[in-house]
Amino acid sequence: MEVKTVTRADAPLFRHYQLTDDDRRFTAHPRDTLDDFSIDPERRHYAVVLEDQPEKPIGFFVLHGGETIKSFAYSDHSVLFRAFSIDHREQGKGYGKAAMLQALEVAKRDYPEATEMVLAVNNGNHKAQSLYEKLGYLDQGRTRMGPHGPQLLYYYPLKEPRAEG
């Protein structure tokens, strides 16, 4: 499995990508998310592909840095993990866990100043919460109101923050 950067021009790769109605309660379809390029240049989009089928994404996520993510994190050096999904037909095969681990490495590479990766997960999305906790994400003890109700905030340290001064 590998992660590759995608752009709006890659939207056709996701024409057969499937999310259930339940999945769509918690995340956007990749094609819809790719339209966000014009909104914020600090957003980077990634496809998760199998090495033997690089033109058929099985997963997707966005990494987002900069000022607009302040409501998600304590640190000025955070990167937000968002819009994560695994194609419905590929769920239950371990790809979600593997993609999350790859996303941490991609965040370290593409956001070298980041000291933590943060994410918001819907209060009712217990499946995702369980995955994040198994991978070592820590509950920030904070919530925020998302588009579909309360969200819990989790973080994963990418490196030790620098001492100020």
Side-chain angles (χ1 to χ4, degrees):
M1 186 177 74
E2 63 182 318
V3 173
K4 66 181 193 175
T5 304
V6 292
T7 68
R8 178 181 277 161
D10 295 311
L13 293 175
F14 295 95
R15 70 183 165 277
H16 299 296
Y17 194 91
Q18 292 182 10
L19 296 176
T20 66
D21 289 341
D22 194 45
D23 293 333
R24 291 193 67 125
R25 283 184 28 224
F26 301 121
T27 193
H29 193 282
R31 281 188 318 253
D32 301 331
T33 304
L34 287 168
D35 288 337
D36 293 338
F37 273 104
S38 60
I39 297 171
D40 189 339
E42 289 290 327
R43 289 185 194 205
R44 297 179 186 163
H45 302 71
Y46 302 89
V48 179
V49 298
L50 298 176
E51 291 168 4
D52 62 340
Q53 296 179 4
E55 298 304 315
K56 182 186 171 217
I58 62 161
F60 179 81
F61 63 89
V62 173
L63 294 179
H64 190 181
E67 291 291 315
T68 59
I69 69 161
K70 292 258 189 219
S71 68
F72 291 92
Y74 294 118
S75 170
D76 288 341
H77 300 288
S78 299
V79 60
L80 177 64
F81 178 77
R82 65 189 325 168
F84 178 55
S85 66
I86 298 294
D87 184 298
H88 173 69
R89 296 162 296 183
E90 303 297 340
Q91 292 177 10
K93 300 177 182 179
Y95 296 137
K97 180 179 179 180
M100 292 283 304
L101 293 171
Q102 289 269 338
L104 290 168
E105 296 307 312
V106 171
K108 291 175 187 176
R109 180 193 73 209
D110 291 355
Y111 295 86
E113 294 299 316
T115 58
E116 67 178 7
M117 188 148 83
V118 296
L119 60 85
V121 59
N122 288 72
N123 193 38
N125 192 347
H126 303 291
K127 185 169 122 181
Q129 290 170 32
S130 177
L131 172 63
Y132 302 146
E133 289 168 6
K134 284 178 186 172
L135 291 172
Y137 278 80
L138 304 168
D139 186 344
Q140 288 187 350
R142 297 174 42 211
T143 61
R144 69 185 299 275
M145 189 55 69
H148 301 287
Q151 295 178 321
L152 306 173
L153 297 173
Y154 285 83
Y155 74 98
Y156 190 99
L158 296 173
K159 60 184 171 184
E160 292 298 317
R162 285 192 224 157
E164 297 295 323

